[in-house]
Amino acid sequence: MEYEKVVLRPLEFLVAFRPGFVSPTLAAQMAATFQRHAPGRLLLNVVTGGESHEQRAYGDFLDKEARYARTGEFLAIVRRLRAGETVTYPGEHLRVEDAHLARVPDPVPPVYFGGSSPAAGEVAARHGDVYLTWGEPPAQVAEKIAWIRSLAERQGRAVRFGIRLHVITRDTADQAWAEAQRLLDGFDADAIKAVQTGPARSESEGQQRMLALHGGSTDGLEISPNLWAGIGLVRGGAGTALVGSHAEVAERIAEYHRLGIDEFIMSGHPHVEEAYWFGEGVLPKLAGAGLWAHPDSGGGTAVTPAAVPFATEVRR
């Protein structure tokens, strides 16, 4: 009996956590332990928290500006710890004395960070390795990239950029838009109204920018070529999807890449099925354009963090 050869590749995990809920020393220790047992598989998504009422439910009563200041202190401590330093840090919000790691993480996990407020931009520029944005139209994304890049340059740093999008890709554009319409037809008006109540009171500037793309209306949801804001009607956070044929979706990815985006975090509804559509339809288009290579080929890197069903990294 012949058996098909199965090649197993390690997945990387994009782990989200909030600095207000764990000490910087403990977080650095946990990251070092993870990297010891699974070298190179940890990515850290640092989430400051944009909703004061939600933070209070967990016992955190700082306002938004103070939360970002605390995040900056947190990352300053963590970066020194994972560089092997013994750290005494008398911050306004965080304080450690003679903190150190018995084993530093190897490799050091990159920090993914997002936020659209001035306070978020300063933290991202000073401490972030990859700045993440939700899927806004290309012109708005270009403005964000220029903003963060300028702030990082003042710190003598360079930051990579990533984007979070949903995707609906099919063999033809008509099929893809029919699927988007099928999803939209299933959105109950009362459910939309109920869901929009939460984001409407959000302190997050990124969330407010998402809301502005659809305005709570089911009309005019294609806000840029192949960029559909319908998902945001029924969920907070990332609310836009790339919709179109495989060639169109690949071109939109290439367009964002030309702006400076290197990492694309995608999801779909249903997730597994959409991952197959994307993998079998879009990735070959990107490969043909020289923007992506299968990790087994030795010519590129594909990243699949556990936070989402599928993701990819395009090449420069």
Side-chain angles (χ1 to χ4, degrees), residues 180-223:
Q181 186 62 49
R182 184 189 71 81
L183 292 176
L184 185 63
D185 290 343
F187 297 168
D188 180 76
D190 290 337
I192 293 175
K193 183 177 180 180
V195 169
Q196 293 303 301
T197 299
R201 66 176 181 177
S202 173
E203 298 170 351
S204 165
E205 290 194 27
Q207 182 63 79
Q208 294 306 315
R209 292 166 72 101
M210 282 284 104
L211 288 178
L213 296 178
H214 57 70
S217 172
T218 57
D219 297 324
L221 292 174
E222 188 179 4
I223 55 175

Side-chain angles (χ1 to χ4, degrees), residues 16 25 27 71 80 85 91 99 114 118 121-122 135 153 158 261 266-267 269 307:
T25 308
T71 296
R80 291 178 59 188
E85 296 183 34
E122 291 293 339
E153 287 174 352
I261 299 291
M266 309 290 198
S267 61
H269 307 278

Side-chain angles (χ1 to χ4, degrees), residues 19-89:
F21 300 164
V22 61
S23 80
T25 308
L26 178 59
Q29 283 181 328
M30 293 168 68
T33 300
F34 192 107
Q35 291 292 61
R36 179 183 180 186
H37 293 289
R41 295 179 63 188
L42 178 64
L43 315 170
L44 298 177
N45 181 24
V46 178
V47 181
T48 297
E51 320 299 340
S52 288
H53 68 280
E54 182 182 43
Q55 295 293 121
R56 289 193 294 268
Y58 289 92
D60 180 14
F61 288 83
L62 294 184
D63 62 22
K64 180 180 177 179
E65 292 297 317
R67 290 197 298 271
Y68 274 109
R70 179 180 59 196
T71 296
E73 293 181 2
F74 180 98
L75 290 173
I77 295 169
V78 167
R79 284 192 170 277
R80 291 178 59 188
L81 286 170
R82 64 190 197 179
E85 296 183 34
T86 296
V87 181
T88 294
Y89 190 97

Side-chain angles (χ1 to χ4, degrees), residues 82-118:
R82 64 190 197 179
E85 296 183 34
T86 296
V87 181
T88 294
Y89 190 97
E92 180 181 357
H93 302 286
L94 297 174
R95 181 178 179 180
V96 299
E97 185 173 322
D98 294 331
H100 69 280
L101 298 180
R103 180 190 296 268
V104 297
D106 183 22
V108 172
V111 171
Y112 288 66
F113 194 85
S116 299
S117 68

Side-chain angles (χ1 to χ4, degrees), residues 112-135:
Y112 288 66
F113 194 85
S116 299
S117 68
E122 291 293 339
V123 174
R126 187 179 295 273
H127 299 291
D129 297 304
V130 180
Y131 176 80
L132 291 176
T133 180
W134 287 328

